[in-house]
Amino acid sequence: MYIFNSLVLKIASRCNLNCSYCFMYNLGDDSYKNQPKFIAEDTIDAIIEKTKIYIIKNKLITFNFLFHGGEPLLIEKEKFQEIILKLKAIENQITDLNVSFSIQTNGVLLDEEWCKILLENKVEIGISIDSTKESHDKYRIDHKGKGSYEAVKEAVNLVKKITKRADVITVMDVAENPVKVYESLKNLNVDSVNFLIKDFTYDNFPYTIDSNYTQPHADFLIELFDIWFEDKEKIDIPLFIGYINVILGFADFNDVNSNELKSLIIETNGEIEPIDSLKACGQEFTKTNINIKQNELESIFKSPLGNLYYNESLKVCSQCQDCPIFKICLGGRLVHRFKKENGFDNPSVYCEDMVKFICHVQNRLYDVFPDIDKNEIERLNYKEILVLNRLNGTSKLDNEKLKLYKNAI
């Protein structure tokens, strides 16, 4: 059984923006509209009781609560502080336990009072702001149709001023110029930027993956990586740092990509679900009919979806197993492998992009560090790997198809 050490609490199911990312993140799954607007007190009490049981049973010494949305700052400040105090009290009831808190917000409602509340309660703050003003305002607009970039920028500055640190997430927009993106984010004076790749599946990926596919996401990431790599005053980009550590043998992909696998979602009505990214797989796909009020937390592992996500997510298709860089990416994220006709038994929709990007990163490290162990790390040719993977992904390996693929790349 997979052991998690974090709960994502949906304390408010609604968002205060008329944000097209609500559709992008859920990709048509609008089941959140049927949820209570705010989490109830008895649901919080059930979360506390069941969490204590789980922590004691699994002898955990650390546990994190992440407030997510919707938009968590829609809840009243007094109510939020009451929730924090209740959750923090778990620490006093279990020996040697350290409880931590974090919050992910669109930043629009962040004011000085909110910042002080979060700082006083040691809540780590993550703000969603998307690369450039143009990209952000294209998707994240208020109910009057006005872009929210300037308001979020002010929130980032405020958080930096009060807490001395600003961490943001940004959804990758390959239509943007990587140079402009990096400069825009650095000008925000943030400490770290967690780049997210859009959660597409085979059923809604806006590209055709064939011999003419040109790996646009790889090209964006490669240019961005080179800018960042050469920057002597670089900001933290966990995506890049993670892959460097994996390639150099300081971590494995499970460590880099483990945050979502170490978390459970608790909806405002108390339903226990896997991570939200799986909403991209279809309407109510993440629904388990398991509720914190009637069930233990680990009950989700007995559900078909929970078992698949937490216990079998590292089982990958044969193409991935035969890939030369499989140990670096381990097949990528589960949601990106989904296809209605055969479930998750596929390579990632971003497979070719990540092959090209990973090869580039490894080759940069190979060239830059002369003392690198050449027996463990070698130069990679992404075109050769693409040919191999494309052939492994076909049912008929004939010379004509091999010639086609070789000519295409």
Side-chain angles (χ1 to χ4, degrees), residues 154-290:
E154 288 182 13
V156 172
N157 291 334
L158 182 63
V159 168
K160 180 76 171 184
K161 176 184 176 182
I162 294 177
T163 70
K164 311 304 179 186
R165 183 174 179 85
D167 301 317
V168 303
I169 66 169
T170 184
V171 178
M172 201 170 78
D173 185 353
V174 296
E176 288 288 313
N177 183 307
V179 176
K180 187 177 180 181
V181 168
Y182 191 71
E183 290 176 349
S184 176
L185 291 168
K186 280 207 72 173
N187 289 337
L188 285 173
N189 195 28
V190 298
D191 295 276
S192 73
V193 181
N194 194 5
F195 278 88
L196 304 181
I197 300 177
K198 295 176 183 178
D199 284 333
F200 288 116
T201 71
Y202 279 86
D203 303 307
N204 47 45
F205 195 54
Y207 299 88
T208 300
I209 305 175
D210 57 16
S211 59
N212 296 315
Y213 183 60
T214 58
Q215 302 87 37
H217 304 85
D219 293 340
F220 179 93
L221 284 171
I222 286 169
E223 186 172 354
L224 185 68
F225 176 84
D226 286 343
I227 297 166
W228 172 82
F229 196 69
E230 297 294 337
D231 185 4
K232 295 182 180 179
E233 297 180 352
K234 58 174 63 68
I235 54 180
D236 285 347
I237 298 183
L239 179 68
F240 294 162
I241 296 171
Y243 275 111
I244 288 174
N245 285 336
V246 171
I247 291 170
L248 295 179
F250 300 139
D252 63 34
F253 187 80
N254 284 332
D255 296 328
V256 174
N257 200 41
S258 63
N259 286 341
E260 61 178 36
L261 284 176
K262 290 183 178 179
S263 302
L264 283 183
I265 305 290
I266 308 295
E267 293 284 356
T268 52
N269 66 351
E271 289 188 13
I272 306 173
E273 299 183 2
I275 206 72
D276 271 7
S277 61
L278 292 184
K279 291 182 182 296
C281 299
Q283 179 74 8
E284 298 190 345
F285 188 88
T286 60
K287 297 303 178 185
T288 60
N289 295 318
I290 298 172

Side-chain angles (χ1 to χ4, degrees), residues 222-231 244 247-248 357-370 372 377-380:
I222 286 169
E223 186 172 354
L224 185 68
F225 176 84
D226 286 343
I227 297 166
W228 172 82
F229 196 69
E230 297 294 337
D231 185 4
I244 288 174
I247 291 170
L248 295 179
F357 169 66
I358 289 170
C359 287
H360 177 82
V361 173
Q362 179 152 321
N363 291 343
R364 283 299 308 265
L365 297 175
Y366 185 92
D367 294 336
V368 169
F369 300 116
I372 203 167
I377 299 176
E378 60 183 357
R379 287 191 60 82
L380 298 172

